[in-house]
Amino acid sequence: KEYYKACSELSLKLIRTIALSLGLSADALDDFFLNNHTSFLRLNKYPAIDNDAEPYLNNEANLDQEIDPTARNDDFSTPLNKLRGKRLGVNRHFDAGGLTILRQDANISALQMNLHRPEQKPKWIDVSPIPGALTVNCGDMLQVLSNDVIKAPEHRVKATTHPGKVRYSAPFFLNPAYDAIIQPILPENTTSTARYKPFTWGFFRRRRFEGDFQNEGIPEIQIAHFRI
């Protein structure tokens, strides 16, 4: 509870600093994240993979598209650490909410960020943990609220290949209230126009969950679907 509270307080301080940097009042984004927000803290565990994954740690390689003919399909009977072939701890994605405050395992570097745009070939770089520091990530909702001034980075997590070492991480996700209407918040006297149509966080989160857990034959919802 104490760590959750600390992350929540830090996130709100960052949100207010971001609002000022956008030319808004410090409390311009408060209503999205203060009342009935849906933020949560999660503990992730990444089991170590026993096979030799060294050929797939090259950051130029696209693990999302390459096919390893020796890899076995995932199943419920084979332990995770016995599955062969290239592995990702978490596939490439954008965080859906406002901010993510991530506490990484200080001893294992596995988080990567894509420097390129989605339509380009990926260029992955390591986001290595720094002792005593937290990693802060901006999510899709902050990109919409800022009208694309702030971009949510695409990222992924490599499989843990250190023999016998399990990786842990603790992300705190600052999320709006389900009924919050998400749309660009523009400063006064701006010549910019909104780049997104309004939508509710609840609708977006529900559709993203559905894409996470089942294949409906349609692309997973992205903020690009609301671009004007």
Side-chain angles (χ1 to χ4, degrees), residues 4 8-9 11-16 18-19 26-39 96-100 139-143 145-146 172-178 180 182 185 201:
Y4 177 95
S8 181
E9 292 175 351
S11 298
L12 291 175
K13 289 180 181 179
L14 291 173
I15 282 292
R16 288 167 179 164
I18 289 170
D27 61 354
L29 304 178
D30 280 9
D31 287 345
F32 295 98
F33 301 104
L34 276 180
N35 299 317
N36 299 318
H37 63 84
T38 58
S39 306
L99 283 177
T100 303
D140 285 336
M141 296 306 99
L142 191 56
Q143 179 168 334
L145 291 170
S146 71
F172 170 86
F173 299 95
L174 180 70
N175 292 334
Y178 282 130
I182 308 299
I185 307 299
W201 164 245

Side-chain angles (χ1 to χ4, degrees), residues 134-149:
L134 298 169
T135 302
V136 179
N137 186 40
C138 298
D140 285 336
M141 296 306 99
L142 191 56
Q143 179 168 334
V144 173
L145 291 170
S146 71
N147 207 35
D148 282 344
V149 174

Side-chain angles (χ1 to χ4, degrees), residues 99-146:
L99 283 177
T100 303
I101 307 297
L102 176 66
R103 183 171 183 174
Q104 296 198 65
D105 190 321
N107 299 311
I108 302 175
S109 179
L111 178 64
Q112 292 188 317
M113 184 184 73
N114 182 11
L115 287 181
H116 287 174
R117 297 172 183 264
E119 64 271 13
Q120 298 176 310
K121 182 179 178 180
K123 173 70 174 181
W124 299 101
I125 63 168
D126 294 332
V127 184
S128 299
I130 298 175
L134 298 169
T135 302
V136 179
N137 186 40
C138 298
D140 285 336
M141 296 306 99
L142 191 56
Q143 179 168 334
V144 173
L145 291 170
S146 71

